[in-house]
Amino acid sequence: MTQTTERQSGGLYVQTAERQQLAFPLKHTTVQAKIAGNLARVEVTQSFENPFTTTLEAVYIFPLPDEAAVDDMLIRIGDRTIQGSIKKRQEAQQIYEQAKRQGRTAGLLEQERDNIFTQSLANIKPGEQINVVICYTESLKFTGATAPESLGGSYEFAFPMVVGPRYVPGNLIEENAIGSGSAAAPMMLNQDTDLVPDASRLNAPILPPGTRSGHDISVTVEINAGVAIQEIHSPSHQIQIIPQGAIAQIKLAGGDTIPNKDLILRYQVSGAETQTTVLTEAGDRGGHFAVYLIPAIQYRLDQMVPKDVVFLIDTSGSQAGAPLAQCQELMRRFIQGLNPDDTFSIIDFSDTTQQLSPVPLPNTPQNQQQAIRYVNRLTAGGGTEMLRGIRAVLNFPVTDPGRLRSIVLLTDGYIGNENQILAEVQRHLQPSTRLYSFGAGSSVNRFLLNRVAEIGRGISRVIRHDEPTDQVTEQFFRQINNPVLTNIQLQWEGAGSEPIFYPSAPPDLFAEQPLVLFGRKEDKHSGKLHISGIAAGGKRYQQTFQLEFAEAGNPAIAQLWGRARIKNLMNQMLSGDTKAGVEAVTDTALAYQLLSQYTAFVAVSDEVRVDATEASVSVQVPVEMPEGVSYEGVFGNVAYSVPDPVTQIPIGEVSLSVRAYNRMRRQMLASDISSEEFDVTLISPSMAGSVADADFSLAPPAMSPPAMPSPKLADDEEFDLGVASQKSFGSISEPLQIVQATGLDANGIALLTQHLQSIQLSPGFSGDIVFEFQISKGRVRQIVLNESVSSLKEQTVIEAVRRSLQTWRPSQELTATVHLTLRVQS
């Protein structure tokens, strides 16, 4: 007898003597954090229990901080500990699958995004509890002083507890929705697309309103700041503060333990000691150091450069309710806080984009009133087509080149195509433009918000949907009006090799914003680090640090340097993986024992613990909807349970939200249902020129079906209903030829050639593109560009080919590593 595994997505039932009841394998999460100075060491313990009578595999999608250096994982079964080890991701997956087949208990920890992780735990015996322990180090965020005259500053410790639902644009690769359609786990339409090929690994099943899984969380934080702590508070949770001499211990209050929102813990320290911190470490990998510099530079509040501010606000369905209301309040305060000589405009986006005006408006009382009326009328609905909004704001007209343009993005960041957004900003943001990001909500996508502001040379800030906005607004204007240190240069004085710094090109600093710098000196020779820049008013600023690499230093500094290097390398691959980049990230992650997108932790028991021939069940752990996020805003006007969205669409008039319609349309494209089976018409738009809140009606087929809806409703910017948009590519016959395809037989090459001929490329490009990728289970995976041997460098062509490769469906039986050389002659 062979093993059979029933794959479920949470919401399984256990039959008791009285009735069926829901059973959930994740019982409890314990978080223990110790903060020393600027660093936090955090241990997260996830407790899984098998409530079934068969062997269980539990799969849990969960968040961690996007800057966390995850460097350890282990499994505890009773009094036994199974230590995890870091491996290349594909190797770790193979070890895990083999152990699962053998009946060994195994754990696999993978990173999907900088802030999204997957924990898989195989072969849990019936009735057994297993604990998974994950450890990471993090550098705390300095949030600035509460007022310009303050001597001290505030630090923030944030621990995310739930992954918010990610909107997935693009053309479907295959049907692989992970939701079961049960009442406890409504269907998540997070299918893999050519833009987000790992979408099915980003969203856990979300429990409908009124349903609880029983999973709770406890958090203990110990703070040893090194200086006096003046105030500790949390805008997100009820907390208990227990003073213990120089250390403060903080715990969650007993009634606030549901893991459906980020824990935000802020504490203020006093004294000038907060201005500068230097930490060093020496080991086998060289000498490492961290510098936290908060320049004590005076600035005048009336020294303000005229700005042109363009606000970009997310009005998609996930913003419905409190998050949008908070964004509207922030917008009103931002508009009223602009300087008299500033100009401004507003762009909002969901499925489409709209704008207050076609050009920047002078900051007059009349224009302010017009803008506030526009903000007050905003409503939430539809999908998060953020790329359209980003392109609109990056291309917004400039009428006065002498003004410093500032883009202010307000969003929860609930998207799966983060890299596409970041790449667009990286490629097209003008040197004189800065981008600031604000996340409003309980569990926003901090990875996107932090990274887009970093690439945009601005600052990011997260504010809860129920948090007062006055202090946030005041601090934002202090910072945006006062860049206090620009043109920052780093110079090393001393013997031996030059240190490697991250960030390699330090950004401009704003009021109360620190410079956080990580460095590595391979030979560990001491020396001096000179940091210089141009302060407000044109004055030259310089500070010098004497660095000695002591063997007794803080080992966490090395991990944070490794994490900073990985982030720097990943920023160079926002448009897609490259062979050199993947190898560099992998080598760094293995050398520093760090989790990354190309490495994973795996732990396997020595003994066989279950009968591998018996049936087992695999459960994906469902999670809570983030606090304050509207279930209907995310899922549309559909019922909580939809068993089969493709085969059970009723033939008759059905009202769907735009977001639900777009999801259904993608399923139609991936299925055998033709678009000609439906007469799709737009009804009852809520406002002229907007489809964000409109409903769609599915009617019985007409004699002559009209055209499908406007391309504005397409799921991505380039393709509508699977057909290349003529605005992007011209029509060229057979623009691609396969020169070499090791790993494929003649039939496979013929099928791939036929598939690639559907790509329409703009004329004028020629050369070779070389890709490496894996084929398994009927899918193309891990597409990596070998840029060193590719002669064609045009990014739009490479992206078009990469997306086409993502949608190719090879044989289910084929498992191979393919080296593909394509010749482009357009």
Side-chain angles (χ1 to χ4, degrees), residues 365-672:
Q366 295 80 5
N367 287 337
Q368 279 198 12
Q369 292 174 9
Q370 177 187 355
I372 290 175
R373 287 195 298 270
Y374 183 91
V375 169
N376 292 342
R377 288 196 297 264
L378 294 175
T379 57
T384 315
E385 295 290 344
M386 186 178 291
L387 186 62
R388 287 204 185 98
I390 289 291
R391 285 180 168 169
V393 78
L394 292 176
N395 293 317
F396 195 72
V398 175
T399 56
D400 184 354
R403 295 178 182 273
L404 177 66
R405 168 154 289 182
S406 298
I407 297 170
V408 180
L409 170 66
L410 299 97
T411 180
D412 55 23
Y414 285 169
I415 60 172
N417 60 322
E418 293 101 330
N419 277 4
Q420 192 182 26
I421 303 301
L422 299 174
E424 192 74 11
V425 173
Q426 191 178 65
R427 285 196 294 258
H428 299 296
L429 190 77
Q430 296 298 314
S432 60
T433 300
R434 291 191 174 91
L435 192 157
Y436 306 86
S437 63
F438 282 80
S442 66
S443 306
V444 303
N445 184 354
R446 291 172 181 259
F447 162 57
L448 175 66
L449 291 162
N450 290 339
R451 197 64 57 85
V452 77
E454 179 183 310
I455 293 173
R457 300 183 296 275
I459 55 176
S460 66
R461 182 67 191 267
V462 172
I463 179 172
R464 281 182 50 84
H465 56 284
D466 52 5
E467 192 175 354
T469 61
D470 51 352
Q471 183 178 320
V472 173
T473 307
E474 179 187 353
Q475 186 182 44
F476 170 66
F477 278 113
R478 287 205 309 270
Q479 294 177 322
I480 194 174
N481 286 324
N482 295 280
V484 297
L485 194 60
T486 61
N487 194 28
I488 297 175
Q489 303 292 323
L490 307 175
Q491 184 179 1
W492 179 263
E493 179 186 346
S497 60
E498 287 287 321
I500 301 174
F501 299 104
Y502 294 109
S504 54
D508 293 348
L509 296 189
F510 294 84
E512 305 146 20
Q513 178 190 9
L515 170 64
V516 182
L517 186 70
F518 296 102
R520 172 179 178 262
K521 197 165 188 300
E522 186 175 5
D523 56 23
K524 297 182 282 190
H525 290 168
S526 61
K528 295 180 180 180
L529 174 63
H530 305 287
I531 301 178
S532 62
I534 305 301
K539 296 181 181 179
R540 181 170 178 80
Y541 172 91
Q542 180 169 319
Q543 188 159 348
T544 299
F545 301 93
Q546 179 69 41
L547 296 179
E548 306 282 346
F549 297 101
E551 296 290 341
N554 191 328
I557 302 304
Q559 303 303 91
L560 291 173
W561 181 89
R563 181 67 185 81
R565 174 170 167 76
I566 289 173
K567 182 172 79 168
N568 179 271
L569 292 167
M570 294 300 294
N571 281 347
Q572 299 173 34
M573 294 191 291
L574 294 175
S575 297
D577 288 351
T578 64
K579 185 175 177 64
V582 170
E583 289 176 351
V585 170
T586 304
D587 291 345
T588 302
L590 293 175
Y592 286 82
Q593 299 288 290
L594 294 175
L595 195 62
S596 73
Q597 285 189 244
Y598 313 117
T599 54
F601 277 98
V602 63
V604 177
S605 66
D606 292 331
E607 74 279 15
V608 173
R609 304 188 68 248
V610 302
D611 186 347
T613 64
E614 293 185 354
S616 64
V617 64
S618 180
V619 179
Q620 185 153 28
V621 177
V623 300
E624 310 282 340
M625 179 67 81
E627 180 187 71
V629 176
S630 165
Y631 191 99
E632 186 177 90
V634 172
F635 291 100
N637 302 327
V638 293
Y640 295 149
S641 178
V642 185
D644 190 335
V646 175
T647 60
Q648 297 189 20
I649 295 174
I651 300 300
E653 189 167 319
V654 179
S655 179
L656 297 174
S657 70
V658 170
R659 187 167 197 170
Y661 165 79
N662 282 341
R663 286 168 167 165
M664 182 198 67
R665 187 192 65 191
R666 284 186 290 177
Q667 292 168 337
M668 290 165 55
L669 295 173
S671 70
D672 294 328

Side-chain angles (χ1 to χ4, degrees), residues 201-479:
R201 298 184 63 87
L202 301 181
N203 285 325
I206 291 183
L207 296 169
T211 305
R212 279 281 291 122
S213 69
H215 171 215
D216 63 355
I217 189 168
S218 63
V219 181
T220 301
V221 181
E222 291 185 355
I223 303 175
N224 184 353
V227 295
I229 300 174
Q230 291 185 329
E231 179 186 1
I232 302 173
H233 75 282
S234 171
S236 61
H237 286 74
Q238 301 175 33
I239 59 174
Q240 298 175 334
I241 303 174
I242 307 169
Q244 297 179 342
I247 298 174
Q249 186 181 85
I250 300 95
K251 295 186 175 182
L252 295 185
D256 206 356
T257 60
I258 299 175
N260 64 346
K261 55 189 173 181
D262 292 356
L263 168 63
I264 301 173
L265 188 65
R266 296 174 185 148
Y267 61 96
Q268 186 176 2
V269 295
S270 61
E273 293 89 344
T274 62
Q275 299 301 324
T276 297
T277 303
V278 179
L279 301 172
T280 62
E281 177 270 351
D284 295 339
R285 296 168 296 200
H288 298 82
F289 60 88
V291 175
Y292 299 80
L293 172 64
I294 306 172
I297 298 174
Q298 298 297 319
Y299 57 90
R300 290 171 49 189
L301 294 179
D302 60 351
Q303 290 180 333
M304 300 176 183
V305 178
K307 302 181 301 300
D308 174 31
V309 184
V310 185
F311 299 99
L312 179 63
I313 182 170
D314 180 356
T315 56
S316 63
S318 61
Q319 290 275 98
L324 179 61
Q326 185 72 310
C327 286
Q328 289 172 306
E329 175 62 19
L330 280 169
M331 287 283 294
R332 288 188 286 265
R333 286 186 172 272
F334 286 156
I335 291 167
Q336 293 166 346
L338 291 170
N339 301 324
D341 294 334
D342 292 341
T343 57
F344 71 96
S345 190
I346 301 170
I347 299 173
D348 60 279
F349 70 91
S350 56
D351 291 293
T352 58
T353 60
Q354 299 179 101
Q355 57 191 30
L356 169 66
S357 63
V359 294
L361 299 176
N363 186 26
T364 65
Q366 295 80 5
N367 287 337
Q368 279 198 12
Q369 292 174 9
Q370 177 187 355
I372 290 175
R373 287 195 298 270
Y374 183 91
V375 169
N376 292 342
R377 288 196 297 264
L378 294 175
T379 57
T384 315
E385 295 290 344
M386 186 178 291
L387 186 62
R388 287 204 185 98
I390 289 291
R391 285 180 168 169
V393 78
L394 292 176
N395 293 317
F396 195 72
V398 175
T399 56
D400 184 354
R403 295 178 182 273
L404 177 66
R405 168 154 289 182
S406 298
I407 297 170
V408 180
L409 170 66
L410 299 97
T411 180
D412 55 23
Y414 285 169
I415 60 172
N417 60 322
E418 293 101 330
N419 277 4
Q420 192 182 26
I421 303 301
L422 299 174
E424 192 74 11
V425 173
Q426 191 178 65
R427 285 196 294 258
H428 299 296
L429 190 77
Q430 296 298 314
S432 60
T433 300
R434 291 191 174 91
L435 192 157
Y436 306 86
S437 63
F438 282 80
S442 66
S443 306
V444 303
N445 184 354
R446 291 172 181 259
F447 162 57
L448 175 66
L449 291 162
N450 290 339
R451 197 64 57 85
V452 77
E454 179 183 310
I455 293 173
R457 300 183 296 275
I459 55 176
S460 66
R461 182 67 191 267
V462 172
I463 179 172
R464 281 182 50 84
H465 56 284
D466 52 5
E467 192 175 354
T469 61
D470 51 352
Q471 183 178 320
V472 173
T473 307
E474 179 187 353
Q475 186 182 44
F476 170 66
F477 278 113
R478 287 205 309 270
Q479 294 177 322

Side-chain angles (χ1 to χ4, degrees), residues 34-74:
K34 293 187 176 182
I35 298 173
N38 302 320
L39 302 181
R41 182 65 178 173
V42 184
E43 181 179 285
V44 181
T45 303
Q46 299 164 349
S47 298
F48 295 89
E49 183 179 287
N50 184 357
F52 309 112
T53 57
T54 59
T55 301
L56 172 68
E57 177 188 34
V59 180
Y60 178 41
I61 297 173
F62 66 99
L64 288 175
D66 59 284
E67 297 283 358
V70 181
D71 58 11
D72 197 13
M73 185 271 278
L74 55 89

Side-chain angles (χ1 to χ4, degrees), residues 759-805:
I759 303 176
Q760 294 178 320
L761 301 176
S762 53
F765 298 105
S766 62
D768 290 352
I769 308 176
V770 181
F771 285 108
E772 298 177 11
F773 54 85
Q774 306 294 319
I775 293 178
S776 65
K777 300 179 181 178
R779 283 281 302 275
V780 173
R781 307 173 190 273
Q782 302 173 9
I783 301 175
V784 176
L785 173 69
N786 192 333
E787 57 184 354
S788 64
V789 296
S790 297
S791 59
L792 195 152
K793 306 296 183 182
E794 174 58 34
Q795 197 60 45
T796 58
V797 176
I798 294 171
E799 288 178 4
V801 176
R802 190 191 295 268
R803 289 179 64 176
S804 182
L805 287 172

Side-chain angles (χ1 to χ4, degrees), residues 23-34:
F24 300 93
L26 180 60
K27 296 300 182 182
H28 184 73
T29 297
T30 302
V31 180
Q32 294 182 312
K34 293 187 176 182

